[in-house]
């Protein structure tokens, strides 16, 4: 006789199956009889009092005959049980003071069988026997046919039992999924987990399982959206935030933590006897016995044809019962490792190489170079990947380690050293060396007998998060013959045979490949059906917008991932909305924070690790405009000599706070913003103003030198002019704006000249006012605001004449002449240009003379034809050479070449009056570098 309460009440006996092949059911039809039997079954082999049974039958108000009626029900049940089991059924339900007892076998009730299977599955999971755990929990869950006693009214006892068993079912389901994640079944679990999170909207464990499964499928954005929906539900309905485990998982997805991809498939990493949560992992007392594989902790290669997450080794040394974090490849320091960390023990997970980051993208050149280094490295060699925080060093190292699997047939081992930063060599460092020695011996790796030669097999050891060579040097005796690949912010000096590469931001051309980060499909291959690519029904954001977001993030992988997470967490945002928010420099670092992943905090780690002198130098460098700079400009910011500035820059470059290449030094974009923040917070206002003045004067001096390239540094000059204006340095504001020398600064030029005009008025400099008005007139004319341009040129002319500034008056006349020429009034233009050319022929007025000659060449083209224009453009070429202005030289050469073609100077432009084509043939003329006049007017007689 068997009973089922995990669903509708079920009673089956031994009288044989029905004609349909199903066991005969003897479940009572009357609801009250089902209540009594169900209550006795949930407390099987226990005495259930009469009072409890009455309360269950009539929760509100029992009748006066309740006891007698209960006796009748019991009598009916004894008959039912006798029908199900004629030999023993009637004797199963006995009277026992103060009530009744139902005697059943250990496996006769499906709830007892469920609990036993679930208990064994839990033990298997604790022992890291994931295949057995998944199988046992799967069998346990298969016993469920629906809610507990779903066809039976519930009183207090049945309601309590239903709640308890439902929670046990949820736990079993959670542990089955956890075990299957260990087995690498993340793709198969996604659909089921999506259904579970829809049903259990506030169950964090199911949400975190779905996040992991999606992340391992390369669907990072969808994983982050699951967290966002969980948080929204908890905040709106309960007013609480997700727990620390969920938040930590979100942070690791944002960071692209390679350990998160580790599944441990094919592994039965059993804990040593007595090991429990909170004991140290990977210490001298563990090794293969405490957390090895079935093959004595041998590290199996993940060679070609094997899945990236099937490395043949689990979480070696991980504590039993570590829970969800171990299922997710969490570092031991994050899973019950607080106690050992506080005690000074080493809690870094030692063993399995994580699966390659499913969202890994770009870095093709770096991967090729790193793979070449690893394949050519001799036994005992070291290769280092270094770079600023957030550059993706760990992801690159793990990806490369997977690619060189064939070169290291005896295994690849991954060790996270972050938790041991700064530890002494005779403490936890010595324990690390012992643990590595045991693991390498167990792997068949290079740690051979102490009195014999080094073993031949090749093993790759990945050391992640190295902060100092003192962390690595004590480990070297245990690494005989292994090749070491380490990641660090700076190059650890003093390691023999070290080769290194510096990992910077993504290159500009790589930003085209980043759209997948914003759709959750980075690193995935195109889906095909029958050989035909399947079009994604939800196309990603505009590639141009993605490229802009990447630039605003300094193309730093961590920052771009965080930006993508912001977009995923806010479905009502578009990529354009995100880009707009990131354009604000003052709030950009605030925007690059999602959950507890904070780009600013990661960058501050590198800043805080530097001594005071380097931190102050870093802050002062933010006074320089964005872009590359030299030692002279840095010396002005730091108020030191150029040689000392060079030394300071080298020190900052070693700390990855400054980048350097053949073209000079520069502050990476987000580090520049951090430096500016720290400058405002930590430097006295007087020191900031003095530094800004030094920098402005240095750039003014550099701009005055012949041959400076105005366009390449135009935005920097505009920024410095604004800085000088805000500091009340009026004369410097004017001089910096003068240094633009007509360079085109899109969207910023008009604001810069307006500020400079105000600065010139504040210092009562009429000549400067005339220059700024004339420059604003040029901009107004280029934007086709002709009336405004005429007003500004006329005002500039009046101010120049009042200041007795002949040169500036002549340049204002050139501006007015161009307005006339543009209107087709050639005679009036000629009358204005004649005195201007005469005034600008004086020495020292080369740039003004160039502008006048250019206007005269265009007038000659309109009045006299190409031959006359050729002479004036030739003069422009000579003057541009004297100015050492490459942009103006190229324009003059381009115009001269155009005059030699049948169409004249410009695309489809006629040769001018007097030619066979006549003026009507003119179509477009390049009147300034990059500025064209379409359909120029003919000559007025």
């Amino acid at each position: 006789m068997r009973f089922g309460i995990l669903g509708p009440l079920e009673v089956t006996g031994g009288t044989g199956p029905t004609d349909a092949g199903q066991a005969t059911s003897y479940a009572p039809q009357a609801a009250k009889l089902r209540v009594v039997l169900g209550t006795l079954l949930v407390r099987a082999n226990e005495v259930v009092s009469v009072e409890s049974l009455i309360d269950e039958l009539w929760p509100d108000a029992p009748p006066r005959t309740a006891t007698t009626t209960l006796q009748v029900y019991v009598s009916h049940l004894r008959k039912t049980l006798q029908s199900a089991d004629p030999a023993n059924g009637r004797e199963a339900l006995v009277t026992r003071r103060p009530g009744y007892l139902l005697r059943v076998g250990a496996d006769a009730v499906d709830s007892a069988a469920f609990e036993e299977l679930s208990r064994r599955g839990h033990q298997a999971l604790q022992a890291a026997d994931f295949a057995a755990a998944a199988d046992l929990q799967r069998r346990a869950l298969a016993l469920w046919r629906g809610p507990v006693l779903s066809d039976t009214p519930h009183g207090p006892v049945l309601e309590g039992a239903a709640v308890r068993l439902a929670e046990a079912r949820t736990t079993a389901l959670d542990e089955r999924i956890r075990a299957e994640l260990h087995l690498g079944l993340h793709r198969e679990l996604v659909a089921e987990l999506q259904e579970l999170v829809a049903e259990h909207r506030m169950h964090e464990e199911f949400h975190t399982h779905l996040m992991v499964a999606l992340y391992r499928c390369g669907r990072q954005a969808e994983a982050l959206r699951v967290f966002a929906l969980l948080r929204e539900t908890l905040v709106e309905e309960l007013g609480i935030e997700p727990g620390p485990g969920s938040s930590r998982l979100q942070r690791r997805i944002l960071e692209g933590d390679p350990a998160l991809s580790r599944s441990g498939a094919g592994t039965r990493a059993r804990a040593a006897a007595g090991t429990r949560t909170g004991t140290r992992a990977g210490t001298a007392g563990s090794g293969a016995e405490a957390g090895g594989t079935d093959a004595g902790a041998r590290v199996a290669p993940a060679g070609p044809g094997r899945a990236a997450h099937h490395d043949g080794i689990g979480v070696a040394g991980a504590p039993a019962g570590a829970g969800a974090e171990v299922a997710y490849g969490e570092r031991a320091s994050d899973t019950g490792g607080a106690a050992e960390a506080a005690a000074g023990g080493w809690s870094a997970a030692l063993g399995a190489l994580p699966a390659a980051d499913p969202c890994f993208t770009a870095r093709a050149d770096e991967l090729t170079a790193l793979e070449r280094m690893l394949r050519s490295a001799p036994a005992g060699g070291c290769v280092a990947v270094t770079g600023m925080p957030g550059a993706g060093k760990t992801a690159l190292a793990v990806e490369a380690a997977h690619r060189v699997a064939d070169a290291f047939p005896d295994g690849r081992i991954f060790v996270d050293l972050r938790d041991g930063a700064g530890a002494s060599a005779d403490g936890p460092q010595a324990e690390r060396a012992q643990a590595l020695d045991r693991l390498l011996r167990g792997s068949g790796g290079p740690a051979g007998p102490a009195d014999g030669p080094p073993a031949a097999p090749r093993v790759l050891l990945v050391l992640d998060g190295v902060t100092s060579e003192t962390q690595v040097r004590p480990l070297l005796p245990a690494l005989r013959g292994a090749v070491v690949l380490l990641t660090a912010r700076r190059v650890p000096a003093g390691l023999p045979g070290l080769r290194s590469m510096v990992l910077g931001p993504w290159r500009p051309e790589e930003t085209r490949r980043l759209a997948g980060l914003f759709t959750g499909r980075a690193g995935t291959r195109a889906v095909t059906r029958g050989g035909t690519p399947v079009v994604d029904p939800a196309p990603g954001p505009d590639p141009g917008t993605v490229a802009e977001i990447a630039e605003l993030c300094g193309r730093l992988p961590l920052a771009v991932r965080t930006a993508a997470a912001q977009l995923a967490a806010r479905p009502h945002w578009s990529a354009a909305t995100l880009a707009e928010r990131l354009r604000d420099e003052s709030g950009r670092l605030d925007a690059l924070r999602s959950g507890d992943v904070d780009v600013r905090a990661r960058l501050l780690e590198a800043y805080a690790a530097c001594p005071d002198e380097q931190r102050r130098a870093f802050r002062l460098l933010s006074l320089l405009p964005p872009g590359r700079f030299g030692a002279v400009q840095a010396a002005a910011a730091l108020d030191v000599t150029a040689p000392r500035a060079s030394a300071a820059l080298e020190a900052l470059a070693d700390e990855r706070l400054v980048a350097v290449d053949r073209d000079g030094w520069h502050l990476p974009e987000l580090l520049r913003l951090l430096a500016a923040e720290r400058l405002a917070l930590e430097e006295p206002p007087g020191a900031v103003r003095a530094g800004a003045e030094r920098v402005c004067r240095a750039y003014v001096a550099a701009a005055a030198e012949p041959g400076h390239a105005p366009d390449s540094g135009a935005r920097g000059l505009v920024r410095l002019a604004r800085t000088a204006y805000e500091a009340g340095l009026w004369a410097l504001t004017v001089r910096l704006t003068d240094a633009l020398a007509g360079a085109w600064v899109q969207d910023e030029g008009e604001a810069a000249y307006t500020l400079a005009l105000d600065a010139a008025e504040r210092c009562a400099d009429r000549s400067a006012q005339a220059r700024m008005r004339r420059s604003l007139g040029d901009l107004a004319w280029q934007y086709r605001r002709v009336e405004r341009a005429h007003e500004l040129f006329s005002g500039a002319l009046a101010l120049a004449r009042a200041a007795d500034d002949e040169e500036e008056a002549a340049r204002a006349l050139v501006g007015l002449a161009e307005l006339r020429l543009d209107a087709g009034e050639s005679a009036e233009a000629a009358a204005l240009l004649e005195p201007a050319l005469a005034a600008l022929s004086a020495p020292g007025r080369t740039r003004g003379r160039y502008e006048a000659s250019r206007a005269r060449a265009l007038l000659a083209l309109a009045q006299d034809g190409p031959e006359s224009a050729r002479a004036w453009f030739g003069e422009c070429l000579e003057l541009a050479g004297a100015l050492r202005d490459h942009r103006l030289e190229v324009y003059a050469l381009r115009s001269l070449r155009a005059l030699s073609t049948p169409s004249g100077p410009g695309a489809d432009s006629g040769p001018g009056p007097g030619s066979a084509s006549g003026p009507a043939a003119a179509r477009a003329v390049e009147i300034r570098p990059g500025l064209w006049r379409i359909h120029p007017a003919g000559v007025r007689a």
Side-chain angles (χ1 to χ4, degrees):
M1 186 168 53
R2 302 183 67 84
F3 302 91
I5 65 172
L6 302 180
L9 180 62
E10 192 174 73
V11 181
T12 58
T15 58
T18 65
D19 293 339
Q22 297 177 343
T24 304
S25 176
Y26 295 91
Q29 297 300 310
K32 294 297 186 182
L33 293 180
R34 292 199 302 271
V35 170
V36 175
L37 181 56
T39 305
L40 292 169
L41 285 171
V42 298
R43 292 190 176 177
N45 300 311
E46 294 180 20
V47 176
V48 181
S49 68
V50 170
E51 288 77 12
S52 295
L53 289 169
I54 291 175
D55 288 342
E56 198 70 16
L57 286 164
W58 302 281
D60 299 325
R64 287 178 297 175
T65 60
T67 303
T68 303
T69 304
L70 174 60
Q71 292 172 349
V72 172
Y73 291 157
V74 170
S75 176
H76 280 292
L77 285 176
R78 283 176 173 148
K79 294 178 182 179
T80 300
L81 297 175
Q82 186 177 14
S83 299
D85 185 0
N88 303 305
R90 190 172 185 87
E91 289 75 25
L93 179 54
V94 298
T95 303
R96 183 77 53 85
R97 288 185 181 272
Y100 301 92
L101 179 147
L102 181 62
R103 295 184 296 202
V104 297
D107 59 346
V109 184
D110 59 359
S111 60
F114 162 77
E115 290 180 301
E116 173 61 18
L117 287 169
S118 181
R119 181 189 64 80
R120 290 166 55 196
H122 177 73
Q123 290 177 340
L125 184 65
Q126 294 291 91
D129 190 349
F130 305 119
D135 178 69
L136 288 165
Q137 298 291 11
R138 199 177 295 117
R139 288 162 55 194
L141 292 166
L143 295 172
W144 284 75
R145 298 168 287 109
V148 171
L149 295 170
S150 55
D151 62 345
T152 303
H154 288 195
V157 175
L158 291 183
E159 184 62 30
V163 171
R164 177 181 64 81
L165 287 169
E167 183 61 28
R169 179 182 183 276
T170 301
T171 300
L173 184 58
D174 172 83
E175 295 192 351
R176 192 215 86 207
I177 293 171
R178 194 183 307 278
E180 290 178 347
L181 283 174
H182 270 290
L183 296 171
L185 301 177
H186 41 273
R187 295 187 185 278
E188 294 82 351
L189 287 169
V190 168
E192 179 185 6
L193 284 167
Q194 288 174 331
E195 182 179 356
L196 285 171
V197 299
E199 180 183 355
H200 304 273
R201 296 174 58 244
M202 289 183 283
H203 194 287
E204 290 196 45
E205 285 78 6
F206 290 152
H207 284 78
T208 55
H209 291 330
L210 179 56
M211 290 166 67
V212 171
L214 289 169
Y215 178 81
R216 290 179 179 172
C217 292
R219 297 158 67 178
Q220 181 191 31
E222 293 176 64
L224 293 170
R225 184 159 293 172
V226 171
F227 178 86
L229 293 175
L230 169 66
R231 181 181 182 276
E232 180 180 347
T233 300
L234 294 177
V235 170
E236 288 183 358
E237 298 192 20
L238 300 178
I240 62 173
E241 292 285 339
S246 303
S247 299
R248 183 166 59 246
L249 177 60
Q250 183 225 19
R251 182 187 70 241
R252 298 177 63 208
I253 291 175
L254 283 170
E255 295 175 341
D257 189 348
L260 187 58
S261 300
R262 183 188 312 155
S263 63
T267 302
R268 298 182 62 186
R270 301 183 178 275
T275 301
R276 61 186 182 277
T277 303
T279 58
R280 285 191 290 180
T283 59
S286 57
E289 297 82 359
T293 64
D294 285 346
R298 180 175 177 82
V299 182
R306 302 191 61 175
H309 50 270
H310 291 184
D311 261 330
I313 183 166
V315 187
E325 291 83 354
V326 171
Y328 301 156
E330 183 83 333
R331 302 183 188 100
S333 59
D334 291 333
T335 59
E340 60 265 31
W346 179 39
S347 61
L350 181 64
L353 176 68
D357 182 1
C359 295
F360 187 89
T361 187
R363 301 294 195 194
D365 293 344
E366 291 86 347
L367 269 174
T368 301
L370 185 56
E371 183 178 351
R372 187 183 305 115
M373 288 184 190
L374 292 174
R375 290 184 181 278
S376 62
C382 291
V383 177
V385 178
T386 66
M388 64 182 289
K393 301 181 289 294
T394 301
L396 179 70
V398 170
E399 183 75 17
H402 282 289
R403 294 194 177 201
V404 298
D406 59 308
F408 297 93
D410 295 288
R412 292 154 294 152
I413 302 171
F414 182 92
V415 181
D416 188 347
L417 297 180
R418 287 183 177 88
D419 295 324
S424 62
D426 57 351
Q429 298 284 7
E431 294 179 356
R432 287 188 191 141
Q434 295 173 15
L436 274 176
D437 186 71
R438 283 186 172 87
L439 188 58
L440 289 169
R441 289 177 186 273
S443 72
D451 57 350
R458 280 174 63 83
V459 172
L460 176 66
L461 177 64
V462 182
L463 300 179
D464 190 34
V466 174
T467 58
S468 169
E469 60 273 12
T470 59
Q471 286 182 297
V472 181
R473 194 176 293 116
L475 306 180
L476 294 180
L479 305 179
R480 297 183 296 272
V483 172
V484 178
L485 171 59
L486 60 89
T487 69
R489 183 164 49 84
R490 58 177 300 167
V491 178
L495 296 179
L498 178 68
R499 301 173 66 191
S500 66
M501 70 159 47
V502 178
L503 195 62
W506 280 314
R507 293 185 298 278
E509 61 271 19
E510 291 178 315
T511 58
R512 296 191 300 270
R513 309 175 193 173
L514 303 184
L517 291 176
F518 294 81
T519 61
R521 300 181 185 277
T524 61
R525 298 180 178 178
V527 179
T528 60
R529 186 176 294 124
T532 303
V534 177
V535 178
D536 190 343
D542 173 60
T545 306
V546 171
E548 182 187 5
I549 292 172
E551 290 295 333
L552 291 170
C553 293
R555 303 193 303 278
L556 188 68
L558 175 63
V560 178
R561 284 175 179 265
T562 306
Q566 289 277 27
L567 197 59
R570 293 168 173 81
H572 57 285
W573 280 16
S574 65
T577 305
L578 176 61
E580 182 179 358
R581 291 176 179 265
L582 291 175
R583 289 186 194 113
D584 178 15
E585 288 190 357
S586 63
R588 190 178 305 167
L589 289 176
D590 290 326
L592 292 175
R593 179 169 53 200
S594 183
D596 53 358
V597 175
D598 189 342
V599 174
R600 177 192 282 111
R602 290 291 300 275
L603 299 178
L604 276 172
E605 292 175 4
Y607 172 78
C610 297
D612 291 343
E613 184 178 359
Q614 290 181 7
R615 290 203 299 268
R616 185 168 190 271
F618 174 69
R619 296 193 297 267
L620 290 173
L621 288 176
S622 67
L623 294 169
L624 301 173
R628 287 176 172 78
F629 55 83
V632 173
Q633 288 75 30
L638 304 182
D639 197 20
V640 296
T641 63
R644 289 189 60 189
S646 295
L649 291 171
E650 291 288 356
L652 289 171
D654 289 342
E655 298 294 340
R656 305 299 179 233
L657 292 178
V658 169
V660 60
D661 55 31
R662 294 179 179 179
D663 297 324
W665 309 87
H666 73 276
L667 281 173
E669 178 66 10
L670 299 183
L671 283 172
R672 180 182 66 81
L673 299 182
L674 178 70
E677 281 188 359
R678 305 318 302 175
L679 182 77
L681 290 171
E682 299 182 37
E683 288 293 322
V688 174
R689 187 179 189 279
E693 184 172 0
R694 291 194 305 270
V695 169
C696 290
R697 293 188 184 281
Y699 274 79
V700 165
E705 297 177 2
H708 81 283
D711 278 341
S712 62
R715 290 190 181 276
L717 292 172
V718 168
R719 182 183 289 265
L720 285 176
R722 188 183 305 118
T723 299
Y725 181 86
E726 292 170 352
L729 303 171
W730 314 124
L732 271 177
T733 302
V734 171
R735 293 176 64 189
L736 286 162
T737 310
D738 280 334
L740 289 173
W744 175 255
V745 186
Q746 187 176 6
D747 301 330
E748 296 185 70
E750 189 169 7
Y753 285 116
T754 301
L755 285 181
L757 175 59
D758 183 69
E761 291 171 349
R762 289 174 182 268
C763 57
D765 186 339
R766 289 186 177 181
S767 292
Q769 293 176 51
R771 294 194 300 276
M772 298 309 123
R773 284 185 176 273
R774 187 248 309 157
S775 297
L776 286 168
D778 275 339
L779 289 174
W781 174 68
Q782 292 174 37
Y783 285 115
R784 310 313 297 154
R785 300 196 295 265
V786 177
E787 291 184 3
R788 176 60 176 163
H790 187 276
E791 177 188 346
L792 288 165
F793 283 137
S794 299
L797 178 61
L799 284 166
R801 286 174 174 171
D804 199 21
D805 188 336
E806 184 181 35
E807 179 183 8
E808 194 50 45
R811 296 192 67 174
L813 286 173
V814 173
L816 290 168
E818 290 204 81
L819 290 179
R820 297 294 186 183
L821 186 59
D822 194 41
E825 302 170 354
S826 299
E828 290 83 348
L832 292 169
L833 281 175
E834 184 176 352
L837 283 165
L840 292 171
S841 298
R845 299 176 180 179
T846 308
R847 188 167 294 276
R849 176 70 181 183
Y850 173 90
E851 295 297 339
S853 298
R854 177 188 54 77
R856 186 65 183 83
L858 296 173
L859 177 62
L861 181 64
Q863 286 185 323
D864 306 322
E867 288 304 319
S868 177
R870 183 176 289 107
W872 286 105
F873 278 123
E875 182 172 331
C876 286
L877 181 60
E878 293 179 7
L879 293 167
L883 290 169
R884 296 173 62 183
D885 192 320
H886 181 67
R887 179 177 63 104
L888 299 183
E889 282 188 281
V890 170
Y891 166 74
L893 285 170
R894 191 162 56 239
S895 299
L896 287 169
R897 282 197 300 269
L899 289 171
S900 302
T901 65
S903 60
D908 299 323
S909 63
S915 70
S917 301
R923 290 294 179 268
V925 176
E926 187 178 14
I927 54 179
R928 294 190 182 191
L931 185 65
W932 297 75
R933 178 189 293 135
I934 308 298
H935 296 297
V939 179
R940 193 197 317 179

